[in-house]
Amino acid sequence: MTVAAVSSPAPAAMAAGPCERAPAPGSFSGSYVSGGFNRRVIVHVPPAVAGRALPVVLALAGANQSSEFFERYTGLSALADGEQFIAVYPTATGLHPLWTINDDHPGAANDVVFLSGLLDGIGQRLCVDPSRIYSLGVSNGGGMTARLACELSGRIAAVVSVAGGYRSLPPCHPDVPVSVLEIHGTADPDVRYLGSGGGGPGAVGPFLSGWAARNGCRARPRRRRVGVALLRLDWTGCRLGADVSHIEVFGGGHQLPGGLPHDRGPRSTFSAVWEAWRFLRAHARAPGPYALPATPYTLPRRPGARRTDRRR
């Protein structure tokens, strides 16, 4: 994998390790190359002091959405500034970007390899807390986030999927428990709550019970109303402190509640991104088999990479 930098520190700064210097804050865009595919990526770095290891949130957009759009849509960068985490917005491949959430299409991009390598590159350039690596995805990005939980369980502590599609996911065999929050509208016309045919493939219920079983949670979740037209389910007592949770949005459509611009369908009564961060920040990965590569990637700046600062 060839990885191009999203920023270009001064030569003096490059001599110091990533945790020995204060990072330059703002949103930085550039290109990453993986498996022959050139990817647009935005990395948002909050104002932080030298030596502070920061969590990382992979933010995976839905089908046909760019990283630039998803940064605006989620408002995650503003939250990252206040809550002190790094937000990473990669773009999927194709004229109409789409994440590869299964292996059914020979020649398609291997997005598990891409995203794993992207995390490696981020960890070599910024001061990252390796126990607090997370993923948040919406729609097709939610399906990809679910796959990462299965295949990168050794390095991802928790994931959140909003209106995710699970019908075509491959079998899931994580090495260690991963905390999972799923948010879904009951009237979603694109990724149906009950799956195809009512209770069929892709249904939210089997997706959640599958994760409860993998994580060794107690059989019955705690059920409680947490807002207008919102029901929350929490499975507890899981192995290694993992959790499985679900927010059921009664009458909700295919949308990111609280996203801007607002999606079609009922107006949201809560912020899914804020609820996602509340869930993610409560979990850290237990010591496991994954470690950063002994040989760092070389990250020269790719010509044409530019910096965008949301605070201008």
Side-chain angles (χ1 to χ4, degrees):
M1 174 183 292
T2 301
V3 184
V6 292
S7 61
S8 181
M14 291 181 70
C19 290
E20 297 173 1
R21 61 181 183 265
S27 290
F28 302 85
S29 66
S31 298
Y32 280 55
V33 178
S34 173
F37 293 92
N38 193 16
R39 308 297 194 96
R40 293 270 307 157
V41 180
I42 294 175
V43 178
H44 183 85
V45 183
V49 299
R52 180 170 184 182
L54 299 176
V56 173
V57 178
L58 286 175
L60 306 186
N64 303 323
Q65 294 178 347
S66 67
S67 51
E68 290 85 355
F69 170 82
F70 204 59
E71 184 181 25
R72 296 190 304 269
Y73 178 52
T74 60
L76 192 63
S77 292
L79 183 60
D81 284 344
E83 294 292 313
Q84 292 284 281
F85 63 87
I86 299 163
V88 181
Y89 307 88
T91 299
T93 56
L95 181 62
H96 303 287
L98 190 71
W99 296 104
T100 305
I101 65 172
N102 57 47
D103 301 320
D104 295 344
H105 304 284
N110 188 326
D111 284 324
V112 174
V113 170
F114 161 57
L115 294 169
S116 181
L118 177 59
L119 288 173
D120 291 340
I122 297 297
Q124 295 298 336
R125 292 193 68 85
L126 297 171
C127 191
V128 168
D129 182 348
S131 71
R132 302 184 68 201
I133 306 296
Y134 309 118
S135 184
L136 161 65
V138 177
S139 189
N140 174 241
M144 189 67 222
T145 286
R147 186 173 186 188
L148 292 182
C150 299
E151 302 206 29
L152 297 182
S153 62
R155 69 185 310 187
I156 290 183
V159 301
V160 178
S161 174
V162 182
Y166 316 119
R167 182 175 59 84
S168 59
L169 285 172
C172 181
H173 303 290
D175 295 323
V176 293
V178 176
S179 294
V180 175
L181 168 63
E182 208 279 347
I183 301 173
H184 219 109
T186 59
D188 188 330
D190 299 318
V191 186
R192 296 184 181 277
Y193 192 90
L194 296 178
S196 58
V204 172
F207 173 79
L208 291 165
S209 60
W211 271 105
R214 293 182 198 103
N215 287 350
C217 307
R218 293 172 183 165
R220 292 184 178 276
R222 177 189 177 195
R223 303 167 63 92
R224 55 197 171 102
R225 294 293 289 265
V226 292
V228 177
L230 299 176
L231 176 69
R232 182 172 181 125
L233 282 68
D234 293 291
W235 285 260
T236 58
C238 313
R239 293 187 295 123
L240 298 180
D243 293 302
V244 177
S245 297
H246 173 52
I247 297 178
E248 182 177 350
V249 185
F250 295 114
H254 192 66
Q255 55 196 139
L256 172 69
L260 293 174
H262 298 290
D263 296 294
R264 290 177 296 175
R267 276 301 178 99
S268 304
T269 59
F270 76 109
S271 167
V273 169
W274 174 243
E275 288 297 331
W277 174 243
R278 286 179 58 186
F279 180 84
L280 294 172
R281 71 182 181 184
H283 298 92
R285 182 179 58 83
Y290 188 83
L292 286 174
T295 303
Y297 284 102
T298 300
L299 299 174
R301 184 176 184 180
R302 175 172 291 274
R306 65 182 179 85
R307 170 176 172 170
T308 59
D309 193 332
R310 287 173 57 86
R311 297 175 299 161
R312 287 185 300 178

